[in-house]
Amino acid sequence: GAVVSQHPSRVICKSGTSVKIECRSLDFQATTMFWYRQFPKQSLMLMATSNEGSKATYEQGVEKDKFLINHASLTLSTLTVTSAHPEDSSFYICSARDTTGRGQYFGPGTRLTVT
Amino acid sequence: DQQVKQNSPSLSVQEGRISILNCDYTNSMFDYFLWYKKYPAEGPTFLISISSIKDKNEDGRFTVFLNKSAKHLSLHIVPSQPGDSAVYFCAATTAGNQFYFGTGTSLTVIP
């Protein structure tokens, strides 16, 4: 089956620093990748949609200058949380859609803690 | 505007009984529906899907039913097992377009 990996799985950083999270589709090409955020006991919140080679489309209320998304290849998208604050602490999940458009596969998530 | 809704945030079922999770959608253009299962601190995993040309798809203990006229789909788990305890998300899409997810239903299977 299609596998999506995320790295790192957990990261702790200090306020004001930046953190990069990688999302890779391991055995398929993903023209579109998505980034979600999940707060405790809440549903997934779509943050942005990224298409390979073009700028990401951000959902309303998501700061594009704070959450930088790069989709440089058909198998890799990165989310950089810049100038992190404690309120950015959350569980970030990426997903990748395959070329059929019918499959969307999720990564295992990254737990970000900002101290 | 929530195009896919899961109106029950939680459900408790006795082990061995049937779990029925429901999902409603508003967009009649959706032609493909999926269910995902999510454990805490993990990403969602694909469970089962159904195309709009079908009204039922079965995979082991999991069956998804689609009622297009009612814009309603449901996931049946029979028999329910404690390991099924998780949050279940339904999703809907049209080919090549965005997936829309419901808010999830937390299933607890009581041993």
Side-chain angles (χ1 to χ4, degrees):
Chain A
V3 178
V4 176
S5 71
Q6 271 183 252
H7 178 80
S9 57
R10 289 177 177 271
V11 58
I12 301 173
C13 70
K14 293 189 175 181
S15 253
T17 62
S18 295
V19 174
K20 181 186 282 189
I21 303 170
E22 290 188 351
C23 176
R24 293 181 185 272
S25 57
L26 297 185
D27 50 2
F28 66 101
Q29 292 186 330
T31 52
T32 305
M33 288 186 170
F34 305 88
W35 287 95
Y36 295 84
R37 183 172 177 177
Q38 184 181 34
F39 294 96
K41 296 186 180 180
Q42 291 189 26
S43 180
L44 300 173
M45 183 193 81
L46 178 64
M47 297 175 66
T49 301
S50 74
N51 291 294
E52 185 263 339
S54 62
K55 288 185 178 180
T57 302
Y58 290 81
E59 296 299 303
Q60 192 173 9
V62 178
E63 299 176 59
K64 63 180 180 181
D65 294 329
K66 180 168 185 62
F67 298 99
L68 301 178
I69 292 172
N70 184 287
H71 192 160
S73 77
L74 287 172
T75 60
L76 173 65
S77 176
T78 60
L79 167 67
T80 302
V81 183
T82 63
S83 188
H85 287 276
E87 54 264 34
D88 298 326
S89 298
S90 192
F91 192 60
Y92 293 86
I93 304 172
C94 73
S95 71
R97 188 162 68 200
D98 64 21
T99 52
T100 70
R102 292 304 199 190
Q104 184 169 346
Y105 306 95
F106 288 83
T110 297
R111 170 69 63 192
L112 170 63
T113 304
V114 184
T115 61
Chain B
D1 180 30
Q2 191 75 23
Q3 297 196 43
V4 177
K5 297 179 183 178
Q6 293 175 256
N7 292 317
S8 297
S10 63
L11 174 69
S12 290
V13 171
Q14 206 72 32
E15 180 179 3
R17 307 293 281 266
I18 184 172
S19 294
I20 300 176
L21 297 101
N22 294 304
C23 180
D24 297 293
Y25 61 96
T26 57
N27 189 342
S28 58
M29 298 300 291
F30 288 143
D31 61 2
Y32 195 67
F33 305 88
L34 309 92
W35 283 94
Y36 290 84
K37 176 180 180 180
K38 184 185 184 299
Y39 293 115
E42 293 184 14
T45 55
F46 169 74
L47 198 57
I48 192 168
S49 63
I50 188 167
S51 165
S52 61
I53 62 173
K54 293 186 174 183
D55 55 18
K56 176 183 174 181
N57 189 27
E58 191 172 351
D59 184 2
R61 297 186 297 114
F62 302 91
T63 303
V64 56
F65 294 92
L66 176 62
N67 182 335
K68 289 186 289 294
S69 60
K71 295 191 182 69
H72 177 84
L73 68 155
S74 60
L75 174 68
H76 292 210
I77 307 173
V78 181
S80 301
Q81 299 173 354
D84 296 329
S85 296
V87 176
Y88 290 79
F89 292 94
C90 66
T93 186
T94 55
N97 290 319
Q98 181 181 343
F99 280 49
Y100 293 87
F101 287 86
T103 51
T105 297
S106 178
L107 172 66
T108 302
V109 179
I110 304 163

